[in-house]
Amino acid sequence: MSSQHRSYTTTDSMLRHHATRDEHVLKGIPASHGIAIGRAFVLSVESPSVQSEKISGERITEEVARFRSAVELAAAELISAIELAREETENVSTIIESYLMIVGDPILSHTVISKIEQGDTAEWALIEEFDAKRQMLFQARDPILRERAQDLDHVKERLLSHLRNKTLSHAAARDAIVVAGSMTPQDILFFKKTNTRAFITEIGGINSHSSILARDVGIPAVIGLRNATTDIPNDTTIIVDGYAGVVIVHPSEETLELYREKQGRAEEYRARLGTLINEPTITQDGLSVRLLANIDSPDQVDGAVMAGCEGIGLVRTEFLLMQHGGYPSIEEQTEWYSDIAERAYPRPVTFRAFDVGSDKFREGIPHHEDNPALGLRGIRFLLYRPDLFEDQIYAVLRASRHRNVRFMLPMVTVLEELHQAKVMIETCKHRLAMEEVDFDPHIQIGVMVETPAAALMAETFAQAADFLSIGTNDLAQYALATDRTNEMVADIFDALHPAVIRMIKMVVDAGRLHSTPVSVCGELAGHAAATEMLIGLGISELSVSPTLCLELKDRIRSMQYFECLELTHRLMMCTTTQQVYSLLSGGR
Ligand code: PEP
Ligand code: MG
């Protein structure tokens, strides 16, 4: 049983008194805190049927109609996306316009329809045609044509998702609570603009990038709620309790009142936390801890600073790719990174190189991968596409001109990756120096410790890097061989497993030995039950979602360092996750 199921009992007993005949309570996993009351906007999802099944007769007519309707829906979606994107930047709308051209390409549609008429299902015909075109473009020498191959991938995904009836109509979700089968980080970025009050999904893990993003943008979310799209009627009033992972359908007046009170209490708590903004993050017995923020876009910097964060410990730069819909030019990237560095100045900012792959942005990955989390991801992808990596290095270096920028590498498993990246960084520095561009020649280069290999080799990395940052989400995923996005194994995925704790200790010890700073930027850094342990282990820098910063400060200010040390000593003897939880103050 994972920690996220802890608070059900109270809520259950609270609700039993108030349940009416119509009202019913659905239980999922709390992925982002907060309470929302509103209308459900349900996106129905049918399971994908991509098989090379042969069809005939009426099925052909149906499949052609399904394909045409997917094209129309995708075109309509792109047109409204262009309008939304124009409010952002012209570049984003230009990219989406190029998607629209592909969707509207009569030759492409004609070929797909011919394949359906010859007996393929719509999905199969679409995949075959798009993949064949993509293969041709990908082999082209011209980089512009190669980029078109990525556009094709994006359009293919959108068309497939419409064929599967997963029509994420962002505009129609305005002010509603979105209920969907699953949600990508891109969907969340769009829904954020439509003032979505909460998210409910049928699948997903609490440490998937969609859940992290929901927390970062402060939107309550409940995930892993099986059959949510069928059990929650569209347009009905529902309550989402993102603390308990509970959704209440058709709430009675009494329940609504109960939750409005709960909302009020949560606001009071936030107001109380507000008084801590300018207070130091220090334990009762005087140990100072540095609190930094994890962010995904420049507009989160001000919030992080206002919440009292002392800097930015992790910028997930791949979110720029999601917002942009592709790889922006050096100039565009420089502008985005400089915006963050300048808003945060004089506080430090740590840009993480694009962590492309796995459950994030996948454009540029040449083939389908059966195990994307174990595939071309992070630094592996960047070294495979040095052209894209180089552009990012240039842009980060340019943004370092105020001397408050650090750069770190994701998914490192072997030392050579760090060496190769450093050689590329040095080459870029050299060229910029020749061009007389101002940048920080001493920019610090860090390694994310998020694979067991990096943790076990922490001493080596501590000597070779300027700083280490522990990504506990992936460290747990890889150490426990548990897909962080799969709710079926959510009970096994736990960064408080003794194996992960031991790895964290190894990294801290290695950092100490070589005087290399070590921070934690995975979700464990903001986990209520883990703070004492991390401090006791010797972590003095925690990077968390800005929405958690003050809560964390509040916790640290009430702790005694000597107690953290004692606790950690006992924790190191635990052999099961259960034992760890029973020792930690949060219980389990
Ligand atoms: C991590 O893996 O802990 C991390 C911070 O990186 P991400 O969640 O972006 O994979
Ligand atoms: Mg990671």
Side-chain angles (χ1 to χ4, degrees):
M1 177 84 158
S2 71
S3 58
Q4 55 262 36
H5 300 278
R6 251 179 293 148
S7 28
Y8 291 156
T9 358
T10 343
T11 314
D12 277 352
S13 55
M14 241 165 79
L15 292 173
R16 253 197 305 276
H17 298 296
H18 298 277
T20 66
R21 212 153 42 126
D22 283 328
E23 174 179 303
H24 57 279
V25 181
L26 305 172
K27 289 177 183 177
I29 301 170
S32 176
H33 286 175
I35 290 171
I37 302 174
R39 145 186 97 82
F41 176 75
V42 182
L43 299 155
S44 56
V45 180
E46 283 172 359
S47 53
S49 59
V50 187
Q51 301 154 8
S52 80
E53 166 200 3
K54 279 293 165 200
I55 55 165
S56 58
E58 259 185 31
R59 223 5 243 293
I60 292 185
T61 326
E62 277 169 25
E63 289 295 276
V64 171
R66 231 158 56 81
F67 172 68
R68 289 214 161 101
S69 134
V71 169
E72 272 171 31
L73 287 168
E77 178 192 53
L78 287 169
I79 290 166
S80 57
I82 290 171
E83 276 157 23
L84 273 174
R86 282 213 178 104
E87 293 161 20
E88 290 271 302
T89 75
E90 200 51 42
N91 300 321
V92 181
S93 58
T94 316
I95 301 263
I96 305 176
E97 273 156 17
S98 67
Y99 297 157
L100 192 58
M101 274 172 62
I102 301 174
V103 169
D105 180 347
I107 302 176
L108 212 68
S109 283
H110 177 78
T111 325
V112 174
I113 290 173
S114 310
K115 281 181 184 291
I116 300 175
E117 285 167 350
Q118 283 158 29
D120 282 336
T121 60
E123 276 99 340
W124 194 257
L126 176 81
I127 291 172
E128 277 218 326
E129 183 52 21
F130 270 65
D131 285 356
K133 281 247 156 11
R134 175 190 203 288
Q135 198 56 29
M136 268 166 48
L137 289 175
F138 208 74
Q139 278 157 2
R141 281 195 165 180
D142 183 345
I144 299 189
L145 283 181
R146 285 212 303 268
E147 263 178 34
R148 289 263 306 167
Q150 290 162 14
D151 291 351
L152 273 177
D153 274 351
H154 184 87
V155 172
K156 181 180 85 179
E157 287 306 319
R158 292 326 293 166
L159 284 171
L160 277 176
S161 98
H162 284 291
L163 276 176
R164 292 166 191 172
N165 200 14
K166 183 181 171 235
T167 316
L168 293 183
S169 172
H170 306 110
R174 191 166 290 283
D175 291 326
I177 294 171
V178 178
V179 185
S182 64
M183 224 172 270
T184 65
Q186 285 95 320
D187 293 327
I188 296 204
L189 288 174
F190 266 107
F191 282 128
K192 188 185 119 196
K193 293 188 169 187
T194 63
N195 206 18
T196 294
R197 294 187 190 183
F199 297 115
I200 300 169
T201 63
E202 295 182 337
I203 60 171
I206 52 164
N207 285 305
S208 72
H209 289 92
S210 302
S211 299
I212 291 175
L213 187 57
R215 289 194 283 278
D216 284 355
V217 296
I219 298 180
V222 172
I223 62 170
L225 215 157
R226 296 251 152 215
N227 307 322
T229 58
T230 42
D231 290 352
I232 302 176
N234 194 34
D235 239 6
T236 41
T237 299
I238 58 172
I239 297 173
V240 174
D241 182 344
Y243 298 102
V246 161
V247 174
I248 302 160
V249 183
H250 292 305
S252 67
E253 253 322 305
E254 256 178 309
T255 308
L256 279 169
E257 197 42 48
L258 198 76
Y259 272 89
R260 285 189 198 114
E261 272 169 28
K262 216 173 165 183
Q263 259 179 332
R265 281 200 302 276
E267 268 159 36
E268 272 167 30
Y269 175 60
R270 273 199 300 275
R272 190 180 74 71
L273 288 180
T275 60
L276 296 180
I277 291 174
N278 296 316
E279 299 298 326
T281 310
I282 188 164
T283 60
Q284 298 267 312
D285 48 353
L287 180 92
S288 246
V289 178
R290 203 148 84 125
L291 287 192
L292 304 172
N294 293 346
I295 62 161
D296 318 310
S297 66
D299 58 21
Q300 285 178 299
V301 179
D302 302 350
V305 170
M306 278 181 331
C309 295
E310 292 172 61
I312 309 294
L314 168 66
V315 182
R316 290 186 163 96
T317 61
E318 56 282 357
F319 280 86
L320 164 64
L321 308 179
M322 294 175 200
Q323 280 161 21
H324 187 87
Y327 293 89
S329 66
I330 299 178
E331 286 65 34
E332 286 161 331
Q333 288 188 49
T334 306
E335 200 181 308
W336 202 81
Y337 305 145
S338 301
D339 192 7
I340 293 178
E342 280 161 19
R343 283 177 193 235
Y345 188 83
R347 298 168 188 82
V349 173
T350 308
F351 289 104
R352 179 177 68 189
F354 297 139
D355 189 11
V356 165
S358 198
D359 66 323
K360 300 191 196 174
F361 190 77
R362 296 191 49 82
E363 271 181 41
I365 296 193
H367 308 291
H368 161 79
E369 294 179 312
D370 281 339
N371 285 311
L374 302 181
L376 208 53
R377 179 184 172 185
I379 189 69
R380 302 172 180 180
F381 173 79
L382 296 169
L383 295 174
Y384 165 79
R385 285 294 304 267
D387 54 329
L388 299 175
F389 191 21
E390 229 175 65
D391 282 2
Q392 183 174 38
I393 297 171
Y394 275 124
V396 169
L397 285 174
R398 280 165 186 257
S400 73
R401 67 184 176 283
H402 300 302
R403 311 309 192 250
N404 64 331
V405 164
R406 311 196 298 177
F407 193 39
M408 86 179 161
L409 309 169
M411 188 70 188
V412 171
T413 44
V414 292
L415 190 61
E416 289 83 348
E417 289 165 338
L418 174 60
H419 286 158
Q420 285 175 41
K422 277 187 165 181
V423 169
M424 287 179 67
I425 295 167
E426 285 310 312
T427 312
C428 294
K429 278 187 190 172
H430 185 68
R431 289 211 197 120
L432 285 178
M434 302 282 278
E435 290 165 22
E436 296 188 359
V437 173
D438 188 18
F439 67 92
D440 182 0
H442 307 295
I443 184 170
Q444 295 199 339
I445 308 300
V447 161
M448 281 204 70
V449 179
E450 45 185 358
T451 63
L456 295 169
M457 301 291 289
E459 280 207 24
T460 306
F461 285 107
Q463 288 176 76
D466 296 317
F467 64 95
L468 301 176
S469 187
I470 310 177
T472 49
N473 310 334
D474 280 314
L475 190 57
Q477 157 161 273
Y478 297 121
L480 307 175
T482 308
D483 182 347
R484 62 193 267 190
T485 69
N486 185 345
E487 77 289 355
M488 301 294 287
V489 287
D491 283 359
I492 308 170
F493 182 101
D494 202 320
L496 285 169
H497 186 291
V500 183
I501 298 176
R502 280 162 211 221
M503 286 190 187
I504 298 174
K505 180 158 182 349
M506 286 179 79
V507 183
V508 177
D509 291 348
R512 274 213 185 113
L513 194 66
H514 298 286
S515 308
T516 306
V518 176
S519 62
V520 174
C521 66
E523 295 302 290
L524 193 67
H527 192 310
T531 318
E532 281 177 281
M533 175 195 87
L534 292 173
I535 291 176
L537 282 173
I539 296 282
S540 56
E541 197 173 279
L542 295 167
S543 194
V544 298
S545 166
T547 52
L548 289 179
C549 218
L550 286 173
E551 224 175 287
L552 184 55
K553 187 185 274 194
D554 192 27
R555 250 191 333 266
I556 293 171
R557 286 171 59 82
S558 69
M559 285 173 186
Q560 299 275 5
Y561 177 51
F562 80 89
E563 283 176 3
C564 300
L565 282 174
E566 266 173 33
L567 173 82
T568 310
H569 185 69
R570 277 183 289 143
L571 276 176
M572 292 316 292
M573 287 183 270
C574 291
T575 49
T576 66
T577 315
Q578 199 61 53
Q579 286 173 7
V580 171
Y581 273 98
S582 45
L583 273 183
L584 296 175
S585 54
R588 195 168 191 204

